[in-house]
């Protein structure tokens, strides 16, 4: 489920007569998972179909289950990289089990008193502040030290699979961001759990020619006041 834009091809609406065989409900468990992991795109007027209410989400229950069982990846593709990303939207094993149990058990709504407040998605922009960001393409060498906060792919082809590596001045290599089947229609920044200090003469490798990636600094320059 991690985000569910890629599910249209496996949509199987549940019928009203489905037998309920689970204690997991939308109002108590599933809504909290959706609000925490999916709301930034899956809200009315967002970049994907809304999942903000039971009535909106229920027809997607079978597709949600298929996604977590078969794909288990967000719409921008599978991701690996340096450490962990603090904005990783992966579901935990427990959350995956809850979604599967809910879908296979008839997708019950539950008791409205258990429903949490809907998130204010507009308070959580999907993309980071790009002030001071450095755009790189191909093989790039840093001329100054950079405290890296994250990366934002730009201009990648559809379903691109790339491995971006850092070659430090001592010659050692570190994985920075590995993407598989990336979908640029759903731009996503990958923010490091902890900023990574890159010294001068660090080389960034793996960005395809013609594509670009924004290196987002952890200490962006302050905005200049408007005249």
């Amino acid at each position: 489920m991690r985000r569910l834009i890629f599910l249209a091809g496996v949509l199987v609406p549940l019928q009203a007569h489905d037998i309920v065989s689970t204690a997991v409900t939308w109002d108590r468990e599933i809504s909290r998972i959706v609000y925490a992991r999916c709301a930034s795109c899956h809200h009315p007027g967002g970049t994907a179909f809304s999942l903000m209410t039971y009535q909106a989400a229920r027809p997607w229950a079978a597709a949600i289950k298929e996604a977590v069982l078969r794909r288990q990846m967000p719409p921008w593709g599978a991701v690996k990289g340096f450490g962990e990303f603090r904005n990783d939207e992966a579901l935990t094993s427990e959350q995956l089990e809850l979604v599967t149990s809910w879908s296979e058990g008839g997708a019950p709504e539950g008791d409205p008193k258990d429903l949490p407040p809907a998130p204010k998605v507009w308070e959580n922009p999907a993309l980071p502040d790009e002030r001071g960001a450095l755009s790189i393409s191909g093989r790039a060498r840093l001329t100054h030290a950079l405290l890296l906060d994250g990366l934002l792919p730009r201009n990648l082809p559809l379903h691109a699979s790339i491995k971006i590596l850092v070659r430090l001045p001592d010659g050692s290599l570190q994985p920075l961001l590995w993407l598989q089947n990336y979908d640029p229609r759903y731009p996503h920044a990958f923010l490091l759990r902890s900023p990574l200090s890159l010294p001068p003469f660090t080389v960034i490798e793996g960005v395809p020619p013609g594509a670009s990636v924004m290196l987002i600094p952890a200490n962006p320059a302050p905005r200049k006041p408007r005249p």
Side-chain angles (χ1 to χ4, degrees):
M1 183 174 111
R2 300 184 183 179
R3 280 189 187 176
L4 307 175
I5 300 167
F6 54 85
L7 301 181
V10 292
L11 173 59
V12 182
L14 290 176
Q15 303 301 317
H17 61 267
D18 284 333
I19 298 174
V20 174
S21 60
T22 178
V24 179
T25 68
W26 166 267
D27 290 337
R28 188 174 55 243
E29 291 94 359
I30 304 304
S31 61
R32 287 169 168 78
I33 296 173
V34 171
Y35 290 175
R37 301 295 191 182
C38 312
S40 59
C41 283
H42 291 271
H43 64 272
T47 57
F49 51 85
S50 177
L51 294 175
M52 291 297 97
T53 67
Y54 175 73
Q55 290 72 24
R58 189 178 188 278
W60 295 94
I64 291 169
K65 184 199 71 172
E66 289 300 316
V68 299
L69 292 178
R70 299 194 312 177
R71 293 242 187 148
Q72 299 187 358
M73 67 176 63
W76 45 82
V79 182
K80 296 180 181 179
F82 177 85
E84 297 179 351
F85 299 105
R86 66 179 184 269
N87 62 337
D88 181 14
E89 297 187 346
L91 298 186
T92 65
S93 296
E94 180 182 3
Q95 289 172 326
L96 293 173
E97 290 177 4
L98 287 171
V99 171
T100 301
S101 177
W102 177 70
S103 174
E104 293 182 345
E109 181 175 9
D111 191 331
K113 70 179 178 60
D114 295 330
L115 191 66
K120 295 181 178 179
V121 295
W122 54 88
E123 294 180 354
N124 299 295
L127 301 179
D129 188 344
E130 296 182 38
R131 287 175 295 156
L134 176 64
S135 179
I136 63 170
S137 181
R139 190 173 187 269
R141 184 187 301 270
L142 300 181
T143 58
H144 298 85
L146 174 66
L147 186 60
L148 184 67
D149 191 44
L151 300 94
L152 176 60
R154 296 281 200 189
N155 305 318
L156 291 182
L158 185 64
H159 302 316
S161 294
I162 63 174
K163 294 182 178 181
I164 302 177
L165 305 173
V166 169
R167 185 179 297 275
L168 297 172
D170 63 4
S172 62
L173 280 173
Q174 293 185 8
L176 190 56
L177 176 64
W178 296 3
L179 293 176
Q180 182 178 352
N181 298 320
Y182 184 77
D183 193 333
R185 295 174 297 179
Y186 312 112
H188 181 73
F190 300 93
L191 304 178
L192 302 177
R193 182 72 62 185
S194 300
L196 178 61
S197 182
L198 300 177
F201 308 114
T202 295
V203 175
I204 311 295
E205 303 177 352
V207 181
S212 63
V213 170
M214 304 293 290
L215 303 181
I216 303 168
N219 47 358
R223 293 187 186 274
K224 293 182 180 179
R226 293 183 178 179

